[in-house]
Amino acid sequence: MPFLTRSRIARVASLLSAGVLALVLLSCDGVGDFGDTNEDPTTANDPNPDLEFTTLQLGVSGSRFDMWRTNLIYTMPIVQHIANPGFYAGNFNQYVGAWSASFFDTRYGGGPNGSNFLRTVTNAETLISELEGKPRQVNRLAATRIMRVLTFQRLTDVYGDVPYFDAGKGALEGEFTPHYTRQDSIYMDLHDELRAAVDQFDASQPTFGGADLFFNGSIEQWKRFANSLQLRLALRVVKVRPDLAQSWAEEAVNADGGVMQSVEDDAYVPHQSGPSGGPAGFNTNAHSEVMQSFPGQWLSETFVDWMKDKSDPRLTEYGALAPGGSTVHWLRIRPSSAVCPTGLITTSLRRATSTPTT
């Protein structure tokens, strides 16, 4: 038997490789078309803008997870609208990372348990990219731009400098290291976006119609909403740029459509009275879910006294003495049967014992 030389070994290896390759090619040839095997049945290849917009509005409304931590635990106690002497960190200038970051995390990354409807930054940016450059979609695009402004104004009001111009590029362009934008630059661009959106509306083109939870597709109400958001921008900068605030306020009031005229122009998401069929606070009102399940929110004395001194008529909508009571109140989130209406609050210093679990 002849010895195996290096050249013979190399030749055998080459022949074996060629044979394996031929078998692979023949095998692939026999399989043919994989059909829909590689198609994800849980995703849409051709997304519906109407469904995307409804989802965006639901996300802006929020869930119990993020609204409890952002509004009830932090921002409302900080400005002394409500108080909770138990564990609400905003009452005590305490920092709890997971609570403090909840609004940031959900708006950029989605909520717990896969609640991606809360990912309003990415959802808005994605929908805008799908609608841009399509003349028939100008009204849908304008409304989506206004919803994007609403999301980013809340983000920058809570956190200051946030990813803005680079926001959403992770999903759209694979850019996962966004730059943070200065708050003053964000505000200037929010103003420009509102003006561009109002100018973009065209009564001859279709709207979101019934998919629009705020205004059922009314262009005039969307204009008033955008102008009212600009008026709020003006109020936010009045202490640092009074000249700019005055200019923006006058522009908003005198703009096409003007500002909100009555409660009919309110922008809100009607919720079920319960039970929640999705993530906590998705189908039902987020704040009411907390107040009904975890009593312990009090109207702040500072806030009540301020409203009393000014005879503010809204005080009786925020809270009222229970029949025959002197210390127990009921807080009404919104006087509408479509929203979970009440949560128990009291002026006595009863200490709360629970902490957020959902």
Side-chain angles (χ1 to χ4, degrees):
M1 180 177 181
F3 290 103
L4 290 176
T5 63
R6 181 176 298 179
S7 61
R8 286 187 175 182
I9 293 175
R11 184 183 178 194
V12 170
S14 177
L15 291 172
L16 286 174
S17 298
V20 170
L21 179 60
L23 286 173
V24 170
L25 292 175
L26 286 172
S27 298
C28 291
D29 230 14
V31 172
D33 186 7
F34 281 98
D36 60 1
T37 303
N38 288 332
E39 293 181 7
D40 186 349
T42 66
T43 61
N45 294 324
D46 187 17
N48 184 325
D50 288 0
L51 295 179
E52 291 179 275
F53 189 74
T54 302
T55 301
L56 175 60
Q57 290 185 315
L58 285 172
V60 168
S61 177
S63 73
R64 187 173 84 182
F65 173 83
D66 52 303
M67 292 298 98
W68 188 359
R69 289 154 179 79
T70 306
N71 291 348
L72 298 178
I73 290 180
Y74 268 108
T75 57
M76 294 178 74
I78 286 173
V79 298
Q80 299 188 55
H81 283 174
I82 66 170
N84 182 312
F87 65 89
Y88 279 17
N91 285 137
F92 313 108
N93 295 321
Q94 293 175 340
Y95 174 72
V96 181
W99 300 353
S100 176
S102 62
F103 191 62
F104 185 99
D105 290 345
T106 54
R107 267 46 194 175
Y108 284 104
N113 305 319
S115 304
N116 285 333
F117 78 98
L118 294 175
R119 194 178 56 179
T120 55
V121 169
T122 300
N123 292 345
E125 298 288 355
T126 300
L127 184 52
I128 287 172
S129 71
E130 293 169 1
L131 298 174
E132 283 182 325
K134 299 176 181 178
R136 291 275 295 168
Q137 302 286 6
V138 291
N139 292 325
R140 291 184 172 96
L141 177 58
T144 305
R145 293 171 78 175
I146 295 169
M147 292 299 298
R148 177 181 176 274
V149 169
L150 178 61
T151 286
F152 274 111
Q153 187 187 0
R154 294 176 70 191
L155 276 166
T156 189
D157 282 353
V158 175
Y159 298 107
D161 300 350
V162 295
Y164 179 71
F165 290 112
D166 288 346
K169 289 186 177 180
L172 296 174
E173 302 177 18
E175 174 55 66
F176 298 108
T177 55
H179 293 90
Y180 278 60
T181 304
R182 286 172 52 95
Q183 187 179 55
D184 55 349
S185 297
I186 294 175
Y187 258 65
M188 297 301 291
D189 195 69
L190 293 179
H191 165 269
D192 293 345
E193 277 291 292
L194 290 174
R195 297 275 41 92
V198 170
D199 291 342
Q200 192 170 36
F201 282 112
D202 183 346
S204 68
Q205 299 301 329
T207 69
F208 281 115
D212 172 11
L213 300 178
F214 283 8
F215 305 121
N216 200 37
S218 170
I219 290 177
E220 290 306 309
Q221 285 185 299
W222 273 106
K223 289 180 179 180
R224 289 196 285 271
F225 181 46
N227 294 331
S228 298
L229 284 178
Q230 179 172 319
L231 186 60
R232 189 166 72 173
L233 289 175
L235 292 173
R236 294 289 195 271
V237 302
V238 70
K239 298 293 185 181
V240 292
R241 289 286 305 276
D243 56 333
L244 183 64
Q246 180 175 351
S247 173
W248 283 2
E250 292 175 349
E251 182 182 41
V253 171
N254 296 318
D256 181 20
V259 295
M260 291 177 168
Q261 301 298 308
S262 69
V263 293
E264 299 303 318
D265 290 329
D266 281 358
Y268 71 98
V269 173
H271 289 85
Q272 294 176 334
S273 59
S276 173
F282 185 177
N283 291 343
T284 53
N285 182 282
H287 295 94
S288 293
E289 283 236 351
V290 175
M291 293 180 179
Q292 290 182 337
S293 303
F294 304 92
Q297 284 68 232
W298 294 263
L299 283 178
S300 168
E301 184 179 35
T302 302
F303 186 44
V304 171
D305 288 348
W306 185 91
M307 298 190 80
K308 283 182 176 179
D309 290 344
K310 293 172 173 53
S311 300
D312 194 315
R314 294 172 296 179
L315 178 58
T316 55
E317 296 300 318
Y318 287 129
L321 285 174
S326 60
T327 60
V328 178
H329 296 63
W330 287 92
L331 177 63
R332 184 162 55 185
I333 297 298
R334 175 180 165 79
S336 168
S337 60
V339 180
C340 292
T342 59
L344 183 65
I345 60 172
T346 173
T347 56
S348 63
L349 294 179
R350 178 171 56 83
R351 187 174 183 82
T353 57
S354 59
T355 57
T357 56
T358 57

